[in-house]
């Protein structure tokens, strides 16, 4: 099994191994090479090194993305090793620090494989081709007769071979091949990509040896917890520092400046208690007796605000997509043939198992940080501004993350640690309690959606109008942001794939009263719920099989033309990643087949039901079928879940299946019980007793995950399974009980039947 170690920027600059062949891929993708024959020569390199081959043949590959359970610290190095022809058991993986030379290190948006698959292949191919050239020169044969296999270069005609390490010195003297001169291995030659190798960190995690952010220690460090305003934008009026200092182990009480809008990634401020251990700091915080000035958001009531959003969704808004003449189609339809529905979804919290935490050490000329961050570069930039340091004076070491879901790409908690470390002149480890995590999150946005359709005699829509209203993520960075961006609206809303002649998509304004951030699947969560639920409603109204109706609604296989709207396509060109309705249809049909849709729907009984939904997100296609059993009292049991994903080329199938399994649990948690509410500006939830996640006994009895084999470019995985889950579940509940769910969470709604 390959190993993993952490490496700092300074370690990279010193050189990894004397006499080693070191290659990397720069920010613009051009290969670079140097040979670390000493500290002076190594220091001439920027730390963008992806693969190192030592004289003993050991291969070191740098992982520049953050590991939070997705397996990315294994998957990206797999691509390098596979292209290199390495023996995976002889590969060591080093975790990169934050540095722009690696390209983007922001590990969210399901972008790691699709953005860096090509770069990793180039790094591996460059190293392999140089080794092949070195071997060819030694043997006096054409390089095209040489190939890499199992950590050796083999001459095909003669069968001679040399180990990687034996060729390092000779390869180091060769010119690096130009990018357009590289030769890549064929899929048939792959021995690592596409296999289920154990994740690099697996053994350490299950044996307790892995280092997460909460585990990092430095000599002389203090532990800190912070009392933050219970209302966003509030300020401390008074506190009892003397009482806190009387707690055994408390060393100091520090007041951090209160934050004001726009909050961005900055620290929220508050009263910090620093102690020799976390327990003492927590007890000291309890003794502070802080009095708060709640500020402008003190009147925020989430229940009342939901009604405001719903009222806005009833009004004409900003048009984001317009095809045909929706108004004329509605006017021509009989009143009985016009159908509408309203859907409401609450704020959601990330609630990762490891709450935010960070350790910082600030000296006179720099700052060192150890943190479970999804975005070390954003952390470095934010720290530099907060501390008044040059960015190159800030170094962020990335630990393992005990979950992230987008929360840990915002470095506010890291800034807190650094500000306190500077204040006390000692390393400081800031720990957020679970209550802190739930009550001070960057919440997934609350939303209200209005959908309306006119239908013909067969129940097919002749016009389709949809509105989505929610406080946008942009509000966290600019108070002027009131409407969803084109990026948010392009997440399952303006790209709704239904083949309707008259279609209009609109949005409306909404104020933010809490910090809004991205959470796993982002706006796809509420958009998929509304559109997939409404499609099922129309099918039921037409007395049609929901599967057949959904496929008819999608229309024939084709590439969706979105050229007339502002559409980000998750940052990728439509030429490379078109919206292929045929692939969406295919996963829908396959999920239904694997679930036994036709057989089970023909034999349906009261209290038992199947629901289906499919959705394109992060450039991948997924479909989910949920089967539920609902007893007469309304208790829901998840009997089975079938999910199919087409993510293009798959590097690590086991991790794809695992992420889809996790998406089912995550999606079920959000749909069944997920809700953050506020009263008098204060978030009412505080821990897992009132913001529960799915327990083992509540999980689906069976999970069937199928990964489609595809030669399409690699696309997203980590977030793709979440969007179709909630509508598949609520559609199943309707099939079982006749109760239509338009508001999430499901908990608290009457699902009883007789």
């Amino acid at each position: 099994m390959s190993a993993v170690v952490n490496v700092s920027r300074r370690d990279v600059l010193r050189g990894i191994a004397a006499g080693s062949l070191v290659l990397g891929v720069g920010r613009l993708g051009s290969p670079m090479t140097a040979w670390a024959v000493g500290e002076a020569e190594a220091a001439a390199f920027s730390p963008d090194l992806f693969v190192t081959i030592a004289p003993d043949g050991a291969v070191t590959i740098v992982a520049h993305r953050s590991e939070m359970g997705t397996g990315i610290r294994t998957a990206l190095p797999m691509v390098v090793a596979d292209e290199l022809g390495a023996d995976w058991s002889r590969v060591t993986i080093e975790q990169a620090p934050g540095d722009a030379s690696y390209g983007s290190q922001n590990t969210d948006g399901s972008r790691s494989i699709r953005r860096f698959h090509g770069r990793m292949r180039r790094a591996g191919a460059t190293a392999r081709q140089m080794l092949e050239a070195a071997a060819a020169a030694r043997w006096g044969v054409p390089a095209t007769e040489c190939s890499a296999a199992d950590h050796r270069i083999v001459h095909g005609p003669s069968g001679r071979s040399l180990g990687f390490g034996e060729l390092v010195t000779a390869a180091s003297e060769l010119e690096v091949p130009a990018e357009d001169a590289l030769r890549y291995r064929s899929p048939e030659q792959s021995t690592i990509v596409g296999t289920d190798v154990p994740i690099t960190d697996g053994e350490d995690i299950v044996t307790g040896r892995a280092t997460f952010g909460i585990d990092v220690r430095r000599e002389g460090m203090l532990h800190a917890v912070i009392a933050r305003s219970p209302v966003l934008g509030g300020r401390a009026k008074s506190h009892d520092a003397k009482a806190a200092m009387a707690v055994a182990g408390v060393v100091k009480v520090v007041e951090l400046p209160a934050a004001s809008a726009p909050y961005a990634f900055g620290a929220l401020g508050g009263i910090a208690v620093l102690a020799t251990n976390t327990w003492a700091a927590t007890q000291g915080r309890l003794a502070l007796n802080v009095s708060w000035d709640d500020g402008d958001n003190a009147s925020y009531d989430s229940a009342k605000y939901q009604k405001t959003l719903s009222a806005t969704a009833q009004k004409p808004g900003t048009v984001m997509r317009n095809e045909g003449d929706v108004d004329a189609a509605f006017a021509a339809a009989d009143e009985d043939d016009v159908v509408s529905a309203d859907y409401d979804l609450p704020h959601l919290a990330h609630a990762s198992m490891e709450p935010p935490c960070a350790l910082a050490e600030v000296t006179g000329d720099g700052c060192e940080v150890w943190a479970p961050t999804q975005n070390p570069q954003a952390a470095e930039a934010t720290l530099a501004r907060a501390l008044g340091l040059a960015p190159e004076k800030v170094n962020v070491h990335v630990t393992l993350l005990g979950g992230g879901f987008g929360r840990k790409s915002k470095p506010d908690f890291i800034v807190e640690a650094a500000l306190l470390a500077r204040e006390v002149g000692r390393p400081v480890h800031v720990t957020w309690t679970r209550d802190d995590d739930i009550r001070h999150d960057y919440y997934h946005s609350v939303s209200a959606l209005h959908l309306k359709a006119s239908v013909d005699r067969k129940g097919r829509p002749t016009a389709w109008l949809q509105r989505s209203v929610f406080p946008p993520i942009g509000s966290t960075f600019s108070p002027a942001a009131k409407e969803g961006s084109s990026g948010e609206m392009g997440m399952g809303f303006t790209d709704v794939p239904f083949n309707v002649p008259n279609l209009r998509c609109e949005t409306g304004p909404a104020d933010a009263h809490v910090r809004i951030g991205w959470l796993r699947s982002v706006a796809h969560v509420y958009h998929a719920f509304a559109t997939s639920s409404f499609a099922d409603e129309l099918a039921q109204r037409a007395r049609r099989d929901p599967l057949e109706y959904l496929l008819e609604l999608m229309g024939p296989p084709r590439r969706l033309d979105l050229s007339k709207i502002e559409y980000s396509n998750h940052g990728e060109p439509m030429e490379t990643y078109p919206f292929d309705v045929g692939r969406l249809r295919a996963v829908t049909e396959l999920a239904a087949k694997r679930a036994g849709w036709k057989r089970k729907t023909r034999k349906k009984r009261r209290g038992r039901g199947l629901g289906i939904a499919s959705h394109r997100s992060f450039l991948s296609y997924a479909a989910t079928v949920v089967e539920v059993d609902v007893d007469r009292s309304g208790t829901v049991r998840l009997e089975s879940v079938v999910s199919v994903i087409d993510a293009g080329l798959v590097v690590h199938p086991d991790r794809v299946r695992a992420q889809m399994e996790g998406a089912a649990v995550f999606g079920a948690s959000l749909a069944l019980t997920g809700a953050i509410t506020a009263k008098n500006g204060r978030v009412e939830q505080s821990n897992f007793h009132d913001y529960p996640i799915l327990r083992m006994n509540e999980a689906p009895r069976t999970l069937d995950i199928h990964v489609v084999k595809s030669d399409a470019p690699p696309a997203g995985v980590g977030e793709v399974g979440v969007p179709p889950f909630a509508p598949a579940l609520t559609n199943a509940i309707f099939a079982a009980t006749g109760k239509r769910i338009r508001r999430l969470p499901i908990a608290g709604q009457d699902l009883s039947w007789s």
Side-chain angles (χ1 to χ4, degrees):
M1 175 184 286
S2 57
V4 61
V5 297
N6 284 290
V7 59
S8 72
R9 178 185 294 132
R10 292 173 179 81
D11 292 334
V12 173
L13 291 174
R14 290 190 184 106
I16 299 173
S20 298
L21 170 62
V22 182
L23 299 108
V25 179
R27 183 185 308 186
L28 299 180
S30 57
M32 298 180 297
T33 181
W35 300 273
V37 295
E39 182 170 341
E41 288 189 11
F45 277 83
S46 59
D48 58 356
L49 311 175
F50 282 105
V51 57
T52 302
I53 305 173
D56 64 357
V59 171
T60 301
I61 299 173
V62 173
H64 69 300
R65 309 288 272 188
S66 300
E67 179 57 66
M68 56 189 134
T70 65
I72 198 59
R73 191 147 80 174
T74 303
L76 282 175
M78 284 172 67
V79 178
V80 179
D82 194 65
E83 191 63 50
L84 177 59
D87 175 352
W88 183 248
S89 67
R90 299 181 67 185
V91 171
T92 297
I93 297 172
E94 290 180 342
Q95 178 65 50
D99 197 290
S101 298
Y102 290 105
S104 171
Q105 291 177 273
N106 186 14
T107 314
D108 67 7
S110 296
R111 291 175 288 196
S112 293
I113 293 294
R114 62 179 162 95
R115 286 284 174 89
F116 289 96
H117 178 263
R119 285 194 176 190
M120 298 301 103
R121 287 195 75 191
R122 288 197 293 272
T126 301
R128 172 180 48 75
Q129 203 156 313
M130 293 177 73
L131 292 170
E132 290 170 348
R138 180 175 300 186
W139 293 324
V141 300
T144 54
E145 293 182 355
C146 300
S147 61
D150 198 28
H151 235 73
R152 303 184 69 81
I153 302 299
V154 180
H155 179 233
S158 67
R160 288 175 292 179
S161 69
L162 291 167
F164 284 178
E166 298 175 85
L167 295 166
V168 162
T169 302
S172 300
E173 299 172 358
L174 301 176
E175 184 177 350
V176 177
E179 185 177 325
D180 59 5
L182 292 176
R183 304 184 307 275
Y184 293 99
R185 288 156 62 92
S186 66
E188 294 75 23
Q189 294 174 296
S190 291
T191 58
I192 300 173
V193 166
T195 67
D196 292 336
V197 302
I199 62 169
T200 298
D201 306 286
E203 185 175 343
D204 284 347
I205 290 172
V206 299
T207 56
R209 295 196 302 267
T211 300
F212 294 85
I214 202 70
D215 300 317
V216 182
R217 297 290 182 266
R218 297 285 285 176
E219 186 177 353
M221 65 179 274
L222 294 175
H223 297 262
V225 296
I226 302 170
R228 303 170 186 84
S229 170
V231 180
L232 183 64
R235 298 170 182 271
K237 292 190 296 185
S238 65
H239 64 278
D240 192 344
K242 185 176 180 180
M245 290 293 294
V247 174
V250 172
V251 174
K252 192 167 186 177
V253 174
V254 176
E255 184 167 1
L256 293 172
S260 57
Y263 299 97
F265 293 150
L268 283 173
I271 312 300
V273 178
L274 294 88
T276 54
N277 59 75
T278 305
W279 174 253
T282 303
Q283 296 306 300
R285 182 173 67 172
L286 291 173
L288 282 172
N289 192 27
V290 185
S291 175
W292 299 98
D293 177 354
D294 292 341
D296 295 339
N297 291 309
S299 63
Y300 181 47
D301 183 306
S302 58
K304 293 179 180 177
Y305 185 66
Q306 186 76 61
K307 295 178 181 178
T308 300
L309 288 182
S310 297
T312 302
Q314 301 298 318
K315 304 172 185 176
T318 302
V319 177
M320 306 294 286
R321 179 181 173 188
N322 193 24
E323 296 176 5
D325 192 331
V326 169
D327 293 330
F330 283 141
D334 291 337
E335 184 176 346
D336 292 341
D337 292 329
V338 176
V339 186
S340 65
D342 298 292
Y343 302 92
D344 298 311
L345 293 89
H347 285 300
L348 299 169
H350 296 81
S352 55
M353 287 297 99
E354 177 193 38
C357 57
L359 190 152
E361 185 171 359
V362 179
T363 60
D365 63 348
C367 174
E368 294 273 333
V369 164
W370 294 260
T373 174
Q374 292 177 242
N375 193 349
Q377 292 173 18
E380 287 189 345
T382 306
L383 285 167
R385 288 193 297 269
L387 299 172
L389 296 173
E392 60 269 19
K393 295 293 185 178
V394 179
N395 193 23
V396 175
H397 306 273
V398 182
T399 68
L400 285 173
L401 286 67
F405 310 126
R407 171 60 180 97
K408 292 172 185 171
S409 57
K410 297 99 170 169
D412 55 321
F413 58 98
I414 303 175
V415 176
E416 291 175 337
L419 292 174
L420 292 172
R422 183 178 64 178
E423 175 70 21
V424 300
R426 294 169 64 177
V428 172
H429 192 294
V430 165
T431 299
W432 286 43
T433 65
R434 178 60 61 197
D435 289 14
D436 296 335
D437 179 41
I438 297 294
R439 288 178 167 160
H440 301 286
D441 201 359
Y442 287 81
Y443 299 102
H444 187 256
S445 189
V446 60
S447 57
L449 300 100
H450 173 73
L451 278 76
K452 180 180 177 181
S454 59
V455 296
D456 62 19
R457 292 181 180 179
K458 294 185 178 181
R460 297 172 300 197
T462 57
W464 182 292
L465 168 68
Q466 56 185 35
R467 298 191 186 109
S468 177
V469 180
F470 54 91
I473 293 170
S475 63
T476 296
F477 305 94
S478 171
K482 305 287 186 183
E483 295 186 347
S485 66
S486 60
E488 288 165 293
M489 301 308 293
M491 293 184 178
F493 195 75
T494 54
D495 58 351
V496 60
F498 300 149
N499 191 27
V500 181
N502 305 289
L503 179 102
R504 189 162 73 230
C505 306
E506 299 176 359
T507 187
D511 293 319
H513 300 280
V514 296
R515 295 188 298 181
I516 305 295
W518 44 92
L519 173 143
R520 188 179 189 180
S521 303
V522 204
H524 285 289
V525 172
Y526 36 87
H527 291 153
F529 177 67
T531 57
S532 295
S533 296
F534 195 53
D536 192 78
E537 292 202 41
L538 293 179
Q540 300 291 350
R541 183 185 183 279
R543 298 183 179 179
R544 298 275 306 280
D545 176 82
L547 169 63
E548 293 177 359
Y549 189 93
L550 180 59
L551 292 170
E552 185 175 309
L553 190 57
M554 291 181 194
R558 67 197 184 282
R559 290 189 173 187
L560 202 63
D561 182 6
L562 300 169
S563 60
K564 296 180 181 178
I565 67 171
E566 187 177 349
Y567 184 65
S568 68
N569 201 37
H570 287 287
E572 302 293 348
M574 291 295 290
E575 296 78 14
T576 307
Y577 290 95
F579 194 131
D580 189 335
V581 178
R583 292 173 72 185
L584 185 63
R585 288 178 59 95
V587 295
T588 305
E589 293 172 313
L590 184 54
K593 181 179 180 181
R594 294 180 72 91
W597 180 274
K598 290 184 178 180
R599 172 178 55 83
K600 291 182 178 180
T601 53
R602 281 198 302 265
K603 297 181 179 180
K604 67 178 182 179
R605 62 172 175 81
R606 189 80 164 166
R608 191 88 167 198
L610 270 71
I612 189 168
S614 55
H615 194 74
R616 177 190 187 255
S617 66
F618 303 93
L619 311 176
S620 292
Y621 304 82
T624 295
V625 176
V626 176
E627 183 177 10
V628 299
D629 189 282
V630 185
D631 66 22
R632 292 180 182 274
S633 69
T635 301
V636 178
R637 174 68 204 180
L638 300 177
E639 287 296 325
S640 66
V641 172
V642 176
S643 290
V644 174
I645 180 172
D646 178 356
L649 174 69
V650 169
V651 172
H652 199 319
D654 175 72
R655 288 297 89 195
V656 176
R657 292 190 294 271
Q659 289 183 72
M660 291 295 287
E661 291 169 353
V665 174
F666 191 90
S669 298
L670 300 188
L672 290 167
T673 58
I676 291 293
T677 59
K679 193 83 169 177
N680 298 322
R682 289 160 166 76
V683 169
E684 296 182 293
Q685 291 71 33
S686 63
N687 212 308
F688 289 134
H689 71 285
D690 52 11
Y691 190 80
I693 61 172
L694 209 66
R695 274 28 178 196
M696 290 181 68
N697 66 314
E698 299 168 322
R701 293 182 187 274
T702 63
L703 265 172
D704 174 21
I705 308 297
H706 180 75
V707 182
V708 174
K709 290 186 178 180
S710 173
D711 58 2
V717 170
E719 301 171 89
V720 179
V722 175
F725 192 92
L729 172 58
T730 55
N731 291 343
I733 291 173
F734 178 84
T737 67
K739 300 287 184 74
R740 178 62 66 182
I741 296 172
R742 295 174 175 168
R743 170 176 51 86
L744 293 181
I746 297 167
Q749 301 186 51
D750 181 14
L751 302 179
S752 62
W753 57 274
S754 59

